[in-house]
Every structure is written in structure tokens, then in C-alpha cells.
Amino acid sequence: MKNDQPTDSERAAMQTIIGRALKARNESGKAGIAASIIRDGQEVGAGENQVRLQSDPTKHAEMVALTAAATQLGTTDLSDCVMISTLQPCEMCLSAMRFAGIKRVIFAATQEKVAGKYFVFPGLSLQDFQKAGEPFTALGGVFEDQVLKLYEHGDE
């Protein structure tokens, strides 16, 4: 597998969560941000942003998907999984991803093209995370044009 390009199953997972994000933006209490955890090309956890719905600032889509995957697999070791998200994961979500052992993340909208509200430490870049610990692959901008309108002005 090439590490510098999404696989067919990763692209399919991205298309699925883009559909979920577009649907969730119209659901009460949810926001149009979605994530999935896949293993061997199969989804093992998924979620949409539920911060407002649950009155919990940790209920980002990626965090919900991580919890679902760990529950489904019966382990917190997700080192053989890939995180897929419609928005570049924030600092909290990247940290949680790394605590779970995930070494590959693929996302649509990139930090440079979205409203600043999605990142609380704007001086801390994705590359800082990659340099600070065990290396991981991050592929951004995948199908970005399909979701950028959701995040560029901070409406979600």
C-alpha cells in the first residue's frame, strides 16, 4: 500500500462520511462534521460531531468514532486502523488518535482553508504533532471541495 495516497477503501469511506456530515448538519444538535475508523477497509466505528447534542466539548466526530471503534473491537489499541474525517482533526482529536495507536489519518478540509474556531492552538500545526512523537501519515485535502463550504466560515 502506498502511504502517500488514499486507498480505494479509504476514498469510499471518505465519500460515506461526507454524506453523513451533510446529513448531520440538518439534524438537531449535531454539526456537519463526521469521522470513521476503518480496519482492513471496513468501518469499525463512526460518528458525527455531538458537542451541542451531548453538552460535551469532547464529543467531536473523531472522538465519537474512536469510542465506537474501541467498543466494537473490545480494545483501545487501534494501531491497525485508519482515521477518516471530513475536517482536519483538532489538537484533542489528534492526541486521542495517537493514544489509540493510529498511525494514519485522512481528512477532507484542511486547517489552512477553514475558520480558526476549529483549532484552539493555531500555532500548533499538524507537522508539530508528526515531529513530536512516533511518526504517522496525514493526508489532507481529499475531496475537500465537497465539504469546504461547511467549514470555511465556521458555520458548523
Side-chain angles (χ1 to χ4, degrees), residues 13 22 28 30 35-36 49 69-70 74 81 100-101 108 118 123 128 132-133 149:
L22 294 172
S28 179
K30 290 190 178 180
S36 179
N49 183 296
C81 296
Y118 299 109
D128 293 327
K149 66 181 177 252

Side-chain angles (χ1 to χ4, degrees), residues 36-46 64-83 100-102:
S36 179
I37 306 296
I38 61 170
R39 182 174 80 171
D40 298 326
Q42 299 296 311
E43 185 176 83
V44 294
V64 174
L66 283 167
T67 298
T71 300
Q72 171 75 21
L73 299 174
T75 182
T76 58
D77 179 3
L78 304 179
S79 58
D80 58 349
C81 296
V82 177
M83 177 182 281
I102 295 177

